[in-house]
Amino acid sequence: MLFDDKQLKRRGFLLGAASLTTMLAGCATVNQPAPTPAIARRPIGPPGEAEMITRYAGLEDGGHKLPAVPFQQIDPKFYRQRVEDPTGEPAGTVVVDTPSKFLYVVEPGGTAMRYGVGLGRAGFAWQGEGIIQWRQKWPRWKPPAEMIARQPELEKYSVENGGQEPGPSNPLGARALYIFQNSQDTLYRLHGTKEWSSIGKSVSSGCVRLINQDVIDLYERVPYKARIVVKQ
């Protein structure tokens, strides 16, 4: 079938118009605003058995060896786990709930990482708000004069004597976070312990203690000068 010049021109115009329409439609699609991504929801609750074995396995850290924790002998509610944030505090805040013996690190998106803790007399002695002024890996322990007065055998670990060498047997464990208020040391500490059986309990001495594997994790999540709230 043959087309004359007019028919060919008309056919070319119609094809060109169709292509332009398609191209414009494509541009309109490309220029549509992209949907705003939702905040990723992290898994809530305690991890599975395999993850728990890995989480509380023995490890070497800073030249020190830590034994595995028999987590099966600890109440599961005190396992490190992500929960719906019950604190209402801004992300990045550390919250110590002393009656429940939980410590929370508030995360974006309405969740918090929760740790079980053990509390001693000093752990119940302070409340309010402060900041984590100092953090230390494998700290030295320097008992205060009041403690040495009650337990003279601790004199060898006094400030004057340089404190106790770092290590798994040190009462401050693998990490210590030092709490200040109004630029003053509160003598309130978050620290590790080898005494995993004390988690969730009130013990004779110390501040707020966590399983060494948990305090190592906490140390990585809590920045220098983080805000801390301690609730009685």
Side-chain angles (χ1 to χ4, degrees):
M1 181 176 180
L2 299 177
F3 296 95
D4 60 24
D5 288 345
K6 289 184 179 181
Q7 288 174 317
L8 288 171
K9 290 179 181 179
R10 177 175 176 76
R11 182 179 177 84
F13 173 79
L14 292 174
L15 288 173
S19 298
L20 179 62
T21 301
T22 302
M23 182 175 67
L24 291 174
C27 289
T29 302
V30 171
N31 289 333
Q32 288 179 350
T36 302
I39 295 176
R41 294 292 295 172
R42 304 175 181 89
I44 300 293
E49 181 82 6
E51 171 61 24
M52 290 295 293
I53 292 172
T54 301
R55 182 170 292 187
Y56 292 114
L59 58 90
E60 184 170 340
D61 178 85
H64 302 284
K65 291 184 178 180
L66 292 171
V69 176
F71 62 88
Q72 300 90 342
Q73 300 180 44
I74 300 173
D75 187 328
K77 72 180 180 181
F78 294 119
Y79 296 164
R80 183 202 327 163
Q81 58 190 283
R82 182 167 282 111
V83 297
E84 297 284 354
D85 174 39
T87 71
E89 298 290 346
T93 306
V94 178
V95 179
V96 180
D97 181 350
T98 56
S100 298
K101 298 182 179 62
F102 290 139
L103 183 150
Y104 299 90
V105 179
V106 182
E107 301 173 321
T111 61
M113 186 61 76
R114 189 181 77 188
Y115 306 81
V117 300
L119 295 169
R121 285 188 298 267
F124 286 104
W126 189 83
Q127 63 178 323
E129 295 189 22
I131 62 169
I132 296 175
Q133 182 69 32
W134 191 40
R135 309 182 314 151
Q136 185 69 37
K137 295 182 178 181
W138 292 103
R140 283 179 171 271
W141 179 57
K142 300 174 183 177
E146 295 81 1
M147 180 177 288
I148 294 174
R150 295 193 304 269
Q151 299 174 265
E153 69 275 13
L154 298 179
E155 173 66 31
K156 60 184 177 181
Y157 301 135
S158 67
V159 174
E160 294 76 14
N161 290 325
Q164 183 175 351
E165 289 285 337
S169 295
N170 186 300
L172 295 182
R175 303 287 189 276
L177 291 80
Y178 300 76
I179 314 306
F180 281 57
Q181 185 181 56
N182 301 322
S183 301
Q184 298 295 317
D185 188 355
T186 64
L187 302 180
Y188 194 86
R189 314 282 187 249
L190 313 177
H191 64 85
T193 182
K194 65 177 182 178
E195 297 175 358
W196 55 265
S197 59
S198 67
I199 300 305
K201 300 176 183 177
S202 299
V203 290
S204 60
S205 62
C207 295
V208 178
R209 55 173 66 185
L210 297 85
I211 295 170
N212 275 317
Q213 281 85 339
D214 280 351
V215 82
I216 291 172
D217 181 86
L218 176 71
Y219 185 93
E220 297 302 322
R221 295 179 189 274
V222 177
Y224 172 63
K225 290 198 173 180
R227 176 171 170 262
I228 182 169
V229 179
V230 179
K231 300 181 178 180
Q232 299 285 7

